[in-house]
Structures are given as C-alpha cells and as structure tokens.
Amino acid sequence: PGGKLSGIMKLSASASNSNYTLLAPYLTEQVETNPNLYNVINSELLGNKGLLVYISVFYPAPISEVSKFHRFVLDNREILDNRVPYAELGIIYSYKSVLATTTVSQFSPYPHTEDFLGWTNALTEKHIQYDVIIQEKMNEKLLFKYKTILIPSVTVMSNSQISFIESYLKNGGKIIIDFESSIRDTTLIKRVNYGMSPILEINYGQEPSEKYGNYGSGRFYYSKNSLGVLYRQGNIVYRDKIYAVLDSLVLDRFVETNAKNTVGINLYRQ
C-alpha cells in the first residue's frame, strides 16, 4: 500500500495529454520472489493510464512479464485508448510551488509535492475518482467540471487563479486548502498576506489550526498544516483527519463500495 502510483501516473497523464505514460520504477529483490507483484504493479499502472518500460537496471522482472501487459493493451487498444475518466474531484499540481522551495544545489519536494502525494494516496484509499489539474492550465471553466477542488500547499498563485477559485467557490463549489497556499505570487515573491485571505478570512501569522467555512454558495476547509505530508510520514491521526475532511466535502460519489482501502478503483467511460 505504501507504493501507490496513481498520483504520479495521473500527474504524468495530465502533464503530457497522452493516453499512456511509461514508468521505469526501481523495484527491490522482493519482486523476484513474489511474481504476483508483477501483476499488481502492471494492473495499477494500467488503471491509471500507465505502462512499465523495461529497463533491466531498475526492473528485475523478466521481459516476458512486461511484454504480456503491453500485448494486452495492444490487443484491446480500441477500448483502452478511448477511455475517459470519471472524476468528482480535481487536485492542483503547481510547478512554480515546487520551484519556490528549490535551490540551485537541491531539489525539494517539500511541502507541495509531498503534500500532493499524501492527498492522492488518501483519495485512492477512499476510492474517490479524481483528476490532476496542472496549475498553469487552470481556468474557471475547468474548475467547474468538479464537485470539489483540492489545493495542497500550492504556495504560488496568480491573482487570476485566485479569481477563478473565488468564482468557483462563490457559485457552489467546494475546496480543500492547506498550509501556506497563495502566500507567493507568480514571481515567487512572498505576499504580505495570503492571496486567498479575503475569501478564507485567514491572515498570515494568525492562522487557526483548521477552519470550516462558507463563501457565497460554496464551502471550504482550511488546515494550517500540510496534511498530506503528515499523512505520508505515517501519522494515523492525520490520516483519520484527511478521511474526515474528504467525507465532509466530497459527497454524492461515483463509487460506493465496501472494498478495503488497499484496493484501487478507477472508473472510466467510453
């Protein structure tokens, strides 16, 4: 369960606008002693528009294990290539928020990428159908495709992007937002206050630990912490917190199931 791939694969598919993304994971020797893991990995990838690429340095599987799934895709490409995912939630990924915490000598996944991955793991466990929204492609029309928008430590936001979110929320949308989202403008300069401050009624340096609120016809949840980061660190308290927030703000779901949280479900239409 700790090796979930859905967030990375959905991000790759959104960034590339492609039917499939090739993945070359580094897998340990345990895969060689448990052949069923080949099927698990390949099935999860296929459910998230991904395929393994064979690089023997990283992947100890025999090439036959890789090629049989490629053959399955090839034999069924008419169905698989035209899949359109159902999604009730859009989660924003921001390249500039990553850049804001990266130095010349070191790439840093904190807080945005780690927060993003924690939330996507939780969405998979809760069987919530979601898309990744590349922030640079975001517009008002795109946001209204989803019942809920998730904003995980998106520290960099332009004024126009804030306006899109405000309009979405005012007209009945729901958002989940955490940490210092919107504290920087697109030049990466820190604002005096959050760009979202007038909407959330939260001020920099005086944030509550969490807040549920309303704006226009919409609802929002704010957390001072990067909940996805804390979840990724194995904190059960924050896992339960994330689950409760999702249950509160992601309603009328496409999938209702009693499947365990170790089971991934991806719903598509033709």
Side-chain angles (χ1 to χ4, degrees):
K4 297 180 184 67
L5 300 168
S6 62
I8 289 294
M9 300 316 297
K10 287 179 183 290
L11 170 59
S12 301
S14 292
S16 62
N17 293 319
S18 61
N19 282 326
Y20 300 99
T21 302
L22 296 178
L23 178 72
Y26 179 79
L27 301 176
T28 61
E29 291 76 13
Q30 66 174 328
V31 179
E32 292 184 290
T33 60
N34 187 353
N36 280 333
L37 284 178
Y38 300 140
N39 293 332
V40 170
I41 293 166
N42 275 297
S43 296
E44 183 179 9
L45 286 176
L46 189 57
N48 290 285
K49 292 195 170 184
L51 286 172
L52 278 172
V53 59
Y54 182 78
I55 300 178
S56 58
V57 175
F58 299 119
Y59 189 63
I63 196 167
S64 60
E65 294 292 338
V66 179
S67 63
K68 73 178 182 182
F69 270 84
H70 286 229
R71 173 57 58 185
F72 175 82
V73 170
L74 197 61
D75 290 345
N76 296 278
R77 64 180 304 175
E78 188 172 327
I79 296 172
L80 295 173
D81 286 1
N82 296 313
R83 290 178 293 170
V84 178
Y86 281 97
E88 52 220 332
L89 179 146
I91 180 170
I92 296 173
Y93 188 83
S94 166
Y95 299 126
K96 287 200 171 183
S97 295
V98 177
L99 190 60
T101 55
T102 297
T103 65
V104 173
S105 59
Q106 184 175 8
F107 166 80
S108 174
Y110 293 95
H112 176 59
T113 299
E114 284 294 305
D115 203 17
F116 169 86
L117 291 173
W119 278 104
T120 57
N121 280 358
L123 292 170
T124 299
E125 290 171 359
K126 294 289 287 181
H127 309 115
I128 293 171
Q129 305 301 297
Y130 71 95
D131 282 338
V132 174
I133 300 171
I134 303 299
Q135 186 186 31
E136 288 73 14
K137 300 178 182 179
M138 189 173 81
N139 58 57
E140 191 171 337
K141 183 179 178 180
L142 178 60
L143 294 183
F144 277 100
K145 285 177 57 180
Y146 306 102
K147 301 173 185 177
T148 308
I149 300 296
L150 210 163
I151 307 170
S153 300
V154 179
T155 55
V156 178
M157 279 192 203
S158 69
N159 290 335
S160 61
Q161 290 164 351
I162 293 169
S163 295
F164 296 152
I165 294 169
E166 180 181 15
S167 176
Y168 169 79
L169 194 55
K170 185 184 294 183
N171 287 281
K174 295 184 279 292
I175 69 167
I176 299 167
I177 183 168
D178 68 7
F179 193 54
E180 296 183 348
S181 290
S182 79
I183 195 60
R184 298 178 186 272
D185 63 25
T186 51
T187 66
L188 309 188
I189 299 297
K190 203 166 186 177
R191 293 182 168 107
V192 175
N193 206 351
Y194 296 113
M196 294 280 292
S197 180
I199 302 167
L200 304 177
E201 296 184 338
I202 290 171
N203 295 311
Y204 183 68
Q206 301 175 333
E207 305 92 342
S209 60
E210 65 176 354
K211 178 180 179 179
Y212 283 93
N214 300 301
Y215 186 81
S217 301
R219 293 181 61 216
F220 68 83
Y221 170 82
Y222 161 84
S223 171
K224 183 178 180 179
N225 295 306
S226 291
L227 293 181
V229 173
L230 295 167
Y231 166 84
R232 289 265 290 172
Q233 294 170 351
N235 192 315
I236 294 177
V237 172
Y238 287 103
R239 182 201 67 185
D240 292 343
K241 169 59 68 178
I242 282 178
Y243 281 9
V245 170
L246 292 174
D247 286 340
S248 174
L249 287 172
V250 187
L251 308 174
D252 302 320
R253 298 179 190 173
F254 287 125
V255 176
E256 294 291 342
T257 177
N258 60 1
K260 294 180 179 180
N261 66 2
T262 53
V263 176
I265 297 175
N266 294 278
L267 188 63
Y268 292 90
R269 65 181 183 274
Q270 288 298 112

